[in-house]
Amino acid sequence: YVDWLQMYFLAEKLLSLKRLDDAKIIAENNAVEFPERDLVALSLANIYLALGRKEDAIKFYKKAVEVQPNKGNTYIYIGHILLQKTKIDEAIKYYKKALQQPETHYHAYLALASSLTQQGKLDEAVSYLQELINQEVPSDYPEALRNLGNIWLQQGKIDEANACFQKAEPVTPMQRFYPSTREWAVKS
């Protein structure tokens, strides 16, 4: 056998070329030979996900976080799959785990807030979006601001929603004369 890293890159290249069966064979063999490598487990999880084998993908994403528990994005991947399977409560747990990791990515906040919104937990969703907006990420981060604005619309807080939408999409001189349909909807 060659080394694990070369096999990892080969499997990833085959995955990018959509040669999924070949990628799966390489990645499965790599996982058997090098079970202690998080990238090997992550690669196999990605391949299983591309093949539509979500349960196998979850198994290997979980294996990757066993080996390297500080990978916030891996928790996000698990959450996304669980969300697709309409296991919202479980997805929320994984998004929250992602937020506890040093490599927390803003997608964890957005996915968590979206999941909480689906469950009607609007105040909790607002708190996570505000936490994201108040971090090192620029405070005018558009997607978080739009999501927060939409929640405030659901809560009937029109002024707060408008403020978020305006921060998310600053008005250009031309838009002053031709407002977007969203601005008309908010005013209604």
Side-chain angles (χ1 to χ4, degrees):
Y1 215 94
V2 191
D3 78 33
W4 73 270
L5 193 56
Q6 289 177 341
M7 292 291 96
Y8 162 78
F9 283 122
L10 177 58
E12 288 293 309
K13 181 64 176 177
L14 291 167
L15 174 61
S16 73
L17 295 172
K18 307 287 188 233
R19 291 178 50 189
L20 302 180
D21 290 328
D22 295 331
K24 179 179 75 78
I25 291 168
I26 299 294
E28 285 176 340
N29 286 328
N30 211 13
V32 168
E33 293 293 323
F34 302 99
E36 76 288 353
R37 300 290 184 175
D38 65 312
L39 285 178
V40 171
L42 192 59
S43 178
L44 185 53
N46 290 336
I47 292 164
Y48 282 144
L49 186 59
L51 288 166
R53 294 173 54 180
K54 293 179 183 177
E55 291 301 323
D56 289 327
I58 288 174
K59 175 183 171 186
F60 279 91
Y61 284 131
K62 286 180 178 179
K63 174 68 176 163
V65 295
E66 280 177 29
V67 175
Q68 182 55 268
N70 294 336
K71 299 274 185 176
N73 284 344
T74 307
Y75 292 104
I76 296 171
Y77 299 146
I78 296 169
H80 287 346
I81 296 170
L82 291 168
L83 196 60
Q84 289 172 3
K85 296 169 72 68
T86 63
K87 296 181 178 181
I88 298 174
D89 288 330
E90 286 182 65
I92 286 172
K93 289 176 188 173
Y94 279 94
Y95 293 140
K96 286 182 177 180
K97 283 183 182 181
L99 294 180
Q100 297 168 357
Q101 306 312 311
E103 296 180 11
T104 298
H105 197 270
Y106 67 90
H107 283 112
Y109 284 96
L110 296 173
L112 178 56
S114 174
S115 299
L116 291 166
T117 301
Q118 287 180 36
Q119 289 191 324
K121 299 177 181 177
L122 302 181
D123 291 334
E124 193 176 352
V126 165
S127 71
Y128 281 108
L129 289 170
Q130 287 176 325
E131 186 178 326
L132 171 62
I133 291 166
N134 292 328
Q135 285 185 5
E136 297 296 318
V137 181
S139 62
D140 61 345
Y141 183 68
E143 189 172 0
L145 288 165
R146 281 191 296 272
N147 290 351
L148 185 56
N150 285 328
I151 291 172
W152 278 338
L153 276 179
Q154 290 178 35
Q155 292 179 327
K157 299 177 180 177
I158 304 301
D159 291 338
E160 290 91 337
N162 262 332
C164 284
F165 291 137
Q166 288 172 358
K167 265 185 158 177
E169 299 173 30
V171 178
T172 64
M174 189 57 111
Q175 287 173 321
R176 287 192 182 102
F177 298 107
Y178 302 101
S180 71
T181 54
R182 180 194 45 74
E183 289 169 326
W184 285 112
V186 172
K187 290 178 184 177
S188 305

